Amino acid sequence: MQHNKLQAWLKTFLVGSLVASLPLTAIADEAAQKGYAIAKERKVRDTGWISSEQSMQMILRNAQGDESVREMRSKNLEVTGDGDKGLTVFDKPRDVKGTAFLSFSHINEADDQWLYLPALKRVKRISSRNKSGPFMGSEFAYEDLSSFELEKYKFTYLRDEACPTDTSVNCFVIESIPTDKFSGYSKTHVWIDTAEYRMHKVDYYDRKKSLLKTLTAEDFKQYQNKFWRAHTMTVVNHQTGKSTVLKTSDIKFNVGLTDSDFNKNSLKRIR
């Protein structure tokens, strides 16, 4: 008799728990689907640029506000069915002149990245374990320089609110959790405007889930009546007080680049 009462109680408890959890599960699934749909639309709207090149100025500031400025140029190639390729070459100042960074992003596997250091006259491969490290002393990590690929994250829609850098525009806020165990981030919160799907702000959280740094994107300009580019991107490290400003100019699209312009073996000869 006692055994039958226990079975009845367990049955009631389990059914009740299942019914109670169904709405939460449905809400979580809906948030994940909406987050993915927003991220996918962002990706779709920035597809078809084929190739590009631009000039850049990188301003490094320490916690005391002291600055150092670097000038560089970069080129990018859109790859069908895989991540994009990128090459960045430093021109100034003299101590970094000739430094070159080559990146092959991938959709379903670890990215390939190499850094040529002219002072050492050797090409250094950036391993997956080290891609969370700082890029040339800046607040950008090597993994920040890879192309955005949907397969590398799990998404969740969080809310709508005014965009932080332009409150006249409304933004989606989504959470992205990297699927790569070697990522330096536990999650990011990304603000994407609801009209053009431009990324306005990113909060990066470290592996201990503390806010590490914030990226803001400003000075947007549209090219070829489709592709938006931010001409000023600022990263502030909340844990060190350091910051990096990346200013982009002279952006050109469809400039006739091919795979041969992105060759690891030619890094030493790039001028």
Side-chain angles (χ1 to χ4, degrees), residues 1-12:
M1 185 66 180
Q2 189 68 25
H3 179 70
N4 290 338
K5 284 184 177 179
L6 179 60
Q7 280 191 323
W9 179 84
L10 278 173
K11 185 177 180 181
T12 303

Side-chain angles (χ1 to χ4, degrees), residues 56 58 60 70 72-74 86-90 96 99-103 113-117 124 126 130-146 185 213 244 246:
M56 293 187 288
M58 177 183 279
L60 310 179
R70 295 169 174 176
M72 54 222 210
R73 53 201 146 88
S74 72
L87 174 64
T88 301
V89 180
F90 286 75
V96 297
T99 300
F101 174 68
L102 180 65
S103 177
Q113 296 179 326
W114 301 270
L115 185 68
Y116 172 62
L117 301 168
K124 174 185 176 184
I126 309 300
N130 293 328
K131 69 179 185 178
S132 61
F135 171 64
M136 292 295 288
S138 75
E139 299 312 308
F140 289 93
Y142 287 102
E143 65 179 300
D144 300 339
L145 307 178
S146 299
Y185 311 122
K213 62 186 184 182
T244 299
L246 189 63

Side-chain angles (χ1 to χ4, degrees), residues 45-84:
R45 293 198 183 201
D46 196 44
T47 298
W49 47 267
I50 303 175
S51 63
S52 70
E53 58 184 23
Q54 48 273 318
S55 300
M56 293 187 288
Q57 184 184 61
M58 177 183 279
I59 304 169
L60 310 179
R61 292 194 181 99
N62 63 22
Q64 290 70 44
D66 300 326
E67 289 186 1
S68 59
V69 180
R70 295 169 174 176
E71 294 184 9
M72 54 222 210
R73 53 201 146 88
S74 72
K75 54 182 68 173
N76 302 90
L77 180 69
E78 192 175 34
V79 179
T80 302
D82 201 357
D84 303 331

Side-chain angles (χ1 to χ4, degrees), residues 38 42 156-167 169-176 187-205 211 213-217 220 238:
I38 293 166
R42 174 192 163 197
T156 302
Y157 166 78
L158 298 179
R159 60 187 181 274
D160 281 15
E161 65 183 29
C163 296
T165 54
D166 183 356
T167 54
V169 181
N170 205 42
C171 265
F172 301 116
V173 185
I174 64 172
E175 182 177 88
S176 305
K187 65 180 180 181
T188 61
H189 287 176
V190 186
W191 281 255
I192 300 169
D193 74 65
T194 60
E196 303 292 348
Y197 287 77
R198 299 168 297 189
M199 185 187 71
H200 287 248
K201 176 183 171 183
V202 184
D203 278 343
Y204 296 86
Y205 293 82
L211 179 61
K213 62 186 184 182
T214 295
L215 178 149
T216 53
F220 284 98
H238 302 290

